[in-house]
Amino acid sequence: MNQDYIKIYGAREHNLKDVSLKIPRNKLVVITGLSGSGKSSLAFDTIYAEGQRRYIETFSAYARQFLGTLDRPDVDKIDGLSPVIAIEQKTTSKNPRSTVGTVTELYDFCRLLYARASDAYSYNTGDKMVKYSENQIIDLIYKDFPEEKVLLLAPLIRSRKGHYRELFASLAKKGFLQVRVDGQLLDIVQDMKLDRYKIHDIEVVIDKLIIDSKENTQRILQSIRLAMQYGEGTIMLLKQGEEQGKYFSRNLMCPSTGISYQMPEPNSFSFNSPKGACEHCNGLGKVKEINLNKLIPNPNLSFDKNVFPIFEELSHTGWLLSQIEIIIKKNGFKMSTPWKKLSEQTKDEILHGVNDKITLDLDYAQIKKTYKVNFEGIVEYITRLSEGKDEEENQKFKTQVFEEGVCPVCEGARLRKESLFFKIDNKNISEVSHFSLKKLSEWVDNLPTKLSPNNKIIAKELLQEISKRLGFLLDVGLDYLSLDRPSQTLSGGESQRIRLATQIGSQLVNVLYILDEPSIGLHQRDNIKLIDSLKKLRDLGNSVIVVEHDKDMILNADYVIDMGPLAGKEGGEVVWEGNPENISSAHTLTAKYINGTLKIPIPKERRKGNGNHLKLIGCTGNNLKNVTLDIPLGSLVCITGVSGSGKSSLITNTLYPILNKHFYRAEKEPLPYKRIEGIEYLDKIVDVDQSPIGRTPRSNPATYTGVFTDIRNLFAQLPESKIRGYKLRRFSFNVKGGRCEVCQGSGLKLIEMNFLPDIYVHCEACHGKRFNRETLEVRYKGKSISDVLDMTIDEAVDFFQPIPKIHHIIKTLQDVGLGYITLGQQSTTLSGGEAQRVKLAKELSKKQTGKTIYILDEPTTGLHFEDIRILMEVINRLVNLGNSVIIIEHNLDVIKVADYIIDIGLEGGEKGGKIVVQGIPEEVIKNKNSYTAKYLKDEL
């Protein structure tokens, strides 16, 4: 049987209409088509799902019971399928411990490198650490202490508080007679103990020796071994009558102060292991700390006037206030004194605690009374409460008075102090993780010249492996990332390209890779790199299927499959397939955009805006270099620049949180900036992203846009409803009354299968109609409320023509190009682009003040050329109503229709963070430095 093709027969998943086709193997195949035309249904829900299911079926029955079996996709048969690996967009981990280094496994190699080839330095003196064998120690003792009387000591406790009663008792039992405590020699006596609140150093005297000729070497050796046993590898020799001893150690040790480190292991450098993580922040690099400005929002108030608003949330404040009153009176103030007039000492005692005996005059009894105050301080008290059992309580505290700050102990490095003093080429592992990948690659290449001959041999293989993996990441255009960048801050496209680089690095062959729009968030300049990486993957002997809308990607493929002709119910067919060079002669929508028959028109003139400006001055977050952003309001502004240049830092992480805080009192703190001007010209901010509009099957476009309430109103007003006494809630599928109680109004029933995945089936009582029989008997123009939910938007627009309130909202859904979805379609089945357009439609249907600012971050994700045309029409409608729209985008079809472009660059990472050029597109293309200008010129 010839296996040059993957043959699919009769695919009917979602909206696919009995599709049969042959996909060539070991080629780069692009599946394209309108948003919602069935591309993902074919690639992911059919080919990937079947490949995954067959793979799991090869496991033993025992293993399968833990995995659950996968549903067989709705397809007659698939031949010629290899093992499938899908690289989707939704793969970013939200775990704060996950970083670029841990995802790519590069950090694991760096940890191994530092564990085997680094030099240790003392954190006290900065001297290089030393370690000795037993024989070396004996030779040094004879050299340093000839003919001397010495004490041999084993250090037990170093700089710790405690009374150590049990320690002295156990030493006495073992037969030891003397200890040295804080530099003083003491005999061990019964019930001996120290001051538990002071910091102590304790060494036990193992032996008293005279270091003469080699005769008592045997005794010295035995004593040293015993001392090593008690001192965990470290011993101390003290000349009689001297204060300062000399240390020797089998471990790494500082020769002058005697501090010693454990020998490094790879997990000594892991912030996810207790061996390496900073103890204060548990390896997160950040801690939640109380912000005094949030704790005391108004320092003009006194305790009588509730200076700490958080006290209203606490149940036991009586005792707290009594302690505070004693502290205030002791310092000569009253409870009615405003906070800002209290002395610094008083404030410190209230916030951070006091442990003291306090004598106060009691005026009414003419006597003095002494109070013993052991008060931990408000800060400690609230911190303790916030770590309690009750989740809701804790959340309340955390949002009210806490804010996230850099850990004061490790200063954000995430590792314990000792781990940060192992260095290679004078850099510790945290500094190396902070390099951009490009800089890291250069550092690794130059490293062999900096290492000692011994370390060079150890590190040779490791450096080759690190260098090879870095190469793959640089090839997919990620040179601006650093190893310590948290995974949760990566865009969908970035995380996908990281996985792509990892897959190329794994060098597998005969695998079928399916990628979902890997070009998201990638500048035109880096597109070629990405296409080359995919070709590399193909040349290893793999089949690569890419779901993609990008013109370059389509033209560089070996084979193209175009889905259509339209979206939703009108899609689901293969309208064209073949070699990309022949696509321009085809008669599909995709072909017409590629050969230039259809175009997204460039506007005749650019809007000047309304004359007002929003100015954001002095942004310095992440890689921004003191940027001043000036946005002309009332126009469509496009923020462009290569990946990692600082677009998201400027807009999503600085501007959006500032405005969100101003209008809606949001909690998220913006990145550092100096000031903002022109905020008075705006009245609200809306962020339109591609997140799902609802997480449950109960949510749908009708409920999200609010039109369902109006439709229910209409049904409740009908004469039939009034006769039966049906009110508004009768027509809701979320409350008891009118809904089908068997499925509780969801229309579907969840059937739990042991060892099999849970499946949804239509409810046998209402047959998926969601309502009970009586409710469905109420009809408007012959349609029940369930029939209305099953209408497509196009049908509903005609149906509700006479009712302006409903028609207006549904018409906006049609205008944004969603005519093919049904009013009651489950939100969970909408694509990202569709969800985004539902949100835009909701905004369009609202009453406009013309003072709203919209922020869209790469709205063209998942959109075909035709979808982009529709989207830009919608956005232009918003701008024409007087609103301002800011779009972060790489897609040239969007950039060319903008009124104003702000290009950030020049490169990504450290070399980015400046505004390269700004102005109308016709001016921008004259700039010689900007990468965007170069590509935009060809478009215009």
mmCIF file of all heavy atoms in Angstrom, residues 156 191 201 210 221 416 419 425 492 515 568 574 631 696 763:
data_model
loop_
_atom_site.group_PDB
_atom_site.id
_atom_site.type_symbol
_atom_site.label_atom_id
_atom_site.label_comp_id
_atom_site.label_asym_id
_atom_site.label_seq_id
_atom_site.Cartn_x
_atom_site.Cartn_y
_atom_site.Cartn_z
ATOM 1 N N LEU A 156 29.298 23.642 66.236
ATOM 2 C CA LEU A 156 27.966 23.017 66.263
ATOM 3 C C LEU A 156 26.874 24.005 65.883
ATOM 4 O O LEU A 156 25.972 23.693 65.126
ATOM 5 C CB LEU A 156 27.665 22.461 67.662
ATOM 6 C CG LEU A 156 28.626 21.402 68.215
ATOM 7 C CD1 LEU A 156 28.207 21.011 69.613
ATOM 8 C CD2 LEU A 156 28.639 20.178 67.316
ATOM 9 N N ASP A 191 22.143 21.123 83.914
ATOM 10 C CA ASP A 191 21.123 22.145 83.662
ATOM 11 C C ASP A 191 21.705 23.433 83.075
ATOM 12 O O ASP A 191 21.207 24.520 83.322
ATOM 13 C CB ASP A 191 20.360 22.506 84.956
ATOM 14 C CG ASP A 191 19.219 21.531 85.169
ATOM 15 O OD1 ASP A 191 18.924 20.791 84.199
ATOM 16 O OD2 ASP A 191 18.641 21.494 86.260
ATOM 17 N N ASP A 201 27.295 31.441 69.134
ATOM 18 C CA ASP A 201 28.160 30.508 68.389
ATOM 19 C C ASP A 201 28.650 29.475 69.404
ATOM 20 O O ASP A 201 29.172 29.854 70.456
ATOM 21 C CB ASP A 201 29.386 31.234 67.816
ATOM 22 C CG ASP A 201 29.006 32.179 66.696
ATOM 23 O OD1 ASP A 201 28.123 31.799 65.908
ATOM 24 O OD2 ASP A 201 29.557 33.295 66.621
ATOM 25 N N ILE A 210 49.248 18.546 71.550
ATOM 26 C CA ILE A 210 50.525 19.245 71.339
ATOM 27 C C ILE A 210 51.037 18.754 69.992
ATOM 28 O O ILE A 210 51.237 17.550 69.794
ATOM 29 C CB ILE A 210 51.540 18.935 72.460
ATOM 30 C CG1 ILE A 210 50.965 19.400 73.793
ATOM 31 C CG2 ILE A 210 52.868 19.604 72.150
ATOM 32 C CD1 ILE A 210 51.812 19.002 74.980
ATOM 33 N N LEU A 221 44.818 12.191 63.829
ATOM 34 C CA LEU A 221 43.911 11.763 62.765
ATOM 35 C C LEU A 221 42.573 11.316 63.338
ATOM 36 O O LEU A 221 41.500 11.697 62.836
ATOM 37 C CB LEU A 221 44.566 10.627 61.963
ATOM 38 C CG LEU A 221 43.868 10.261 60.657
ATOM 39 C CD1 LEU A 221 43.793 11.446 59.719
ATOM 40 C CD2 LEU A 221 44.575 9.099 59.962
ATOM 41 N N ARG A 416 18.700 30.984 47.113
ATOM 42 C CA ARG A 416 19.280 31.323 48.421
ATOM 43 C C ARG A 416 20.665 31.935 48.226
ATOM 44 O O ARG A 416 21.303 31.764 47.192
ATOM 45 C CB ARG A 416 19.315 30.098 49.324
ATOM 46 C CG ARG A 416 20.029 28.916 48.734
ATOM 47 C CD ARG A 416 20.176 27.801 49.745
ATOM 48 N NE ARG A 416 18.888 27.323 50.231
ATOM 49 C CZ ARG A 416 18.674 26.934 51.499
ATOM 50 N NH1 ARG A 416 19.671 26.987 52.364
ATOM 51 N NH2 ARG A 416 17.513 26.470 51.880
ATOM 52 N N SER A 419 23.711 29.917 46.876
ATOM 53 C CA SER A 419 23.679 29.525 45.452
ATOM 54 C C SER A 419 24.114 30.665 44.546
ATOM 55 O O SER A 419 24.612 30.438 43.445
ATOM 56 C CB SER A 419 22.263 29.092 45.063
ATOM 57 O OG SER A 419 21.822 28.062 45.909
ATOM 58 N N ASP A 425 32.954 32.862 35.222
ATOM 59 C CA ASP A 425 33.290 34.120 34.533
ATOM 60 C C ASP A 425 32.662 35.311 35.288
ATOM 61 O O ASP A 425 32.096 36.230 34.690
ATOM 62 C CB ASP A 425 32.781 34.051 33.077
ATOM 63 C CG ASP A 425 33.165 35.302 32.276
ATOM 64 O OD1 ASP A 425 34.159 35.946 32.649
ATOM 65 O OD2 ASP A 425 32.453 35.624 31.304
ATOM 66 N N GLY A 492 0.582 33.991 22.894
ATOM 67 C CA GLY A 492 0.300 32.660 22.329
ATOM 68 C C GLY A 492 1.323 32.258 21.290
ATOM 69 O O GLY A 492 1.798 31.126 21.260
ATOM 70 N N LEU A 515 0.298 22.622 13.595
ATOM 71 C CA LEU A 515 0.503 23.908 14.276
ATOM 72 C C LEU A 515 -0.677 24.833 14.015
ATOM 73 O O LEU A 515 -1.226 24.867 12.911
ATOM 74 C CB LEU A 515 1.774 24.590 13.767
ATOM 75 C CG LEU A 515 3.075 23.929 14.185
ATOM 76 C CD1 LEU A 515 3.536 22.955 13.140
ATOM 77 C CD2 LEU A 515 4.139 24.970 14.419
ATOM 78 N N GLY A 568 -19.131 28.788 9.255
ATOM 79 C CA GLY A 568 -20.253 28.166 9.972
ATOM 80 C C GLY A 568 -20.960 27.134 9.118
ATOM 81 O O GLY A 568 -20.329 26.291 8.478
ATOM 82 N N VAL A 574 -13.959 21.475 1.234
ATOM 83 C CA VAL A 574 -12.662 21.849 0.642
ATOM 84 C C VAL A 574 -12.967 22.498 -0.694
ATOM 85 O O VAL A 574 -13.497 21.858 -1.597
ATOM 86 C CB VAL A 574 -11.773 20.601 0.448
ATOM 87 C CG1 VAL A 574 -10.480 20.977 -0.276
ATOM 88 C CG2 VAL A 574 -11.449 19.983 1.790
ATOM 89 N N ILE A 631 -0.880 60.040 22.047
ATOM 90 C CA ILE A 631 -1.906 59.418 21.209
ATOM 91 C C ILE A 631 -2.936 60.470 20.792
ATOM 92 O O ILE A 631 -3.589 61.057 21.658
ATOM 93 C CB ILE A 631 -2.584 58.267 21.970
ATOM 94 C CG1 ILE A 631 -1.574 57.142 22.152
ATOM 95 C CG2 ILE A 631 -3.824 57.771 21.243
ATOM 96 C CD1 ILE A 631 -2.034 56.030 22.999
ATOM 97 N N THR A 696 -19.064 28.345 30.157
ATOM 98 C CA THR A 696 -19.981 27.194 30.263
ATOM 99 C C THR A 696 -20.872 27.136 29.030
ATOM 100 O O THR A 696 -21.086 28.147 28.373
ATOM 101 C CB THR A 696 -20.898 27.332 31.494
ATOM 102 O OG1 THR A 696 -21.780 28.438 31.250
ATOM 103 C CG2 THR A 696 -20.124 27.604 32.759
ATOM 104 N N CYS A 763 -30.943 16.089 25.757
ATOM 105 C CA CYS A 763 -31.843 15.692 26.835
ATOM 106 C C CYS A 763 -33.045 14.958 26.234
ATOM 107 O O CYS A 763 -33.660 15.445 25.278
ATOM 108 C CB CYS A 763 -32.274 16.953 27.578
ATOM 109 S SG CYS A 763 -33.701 16.722 28.594
#
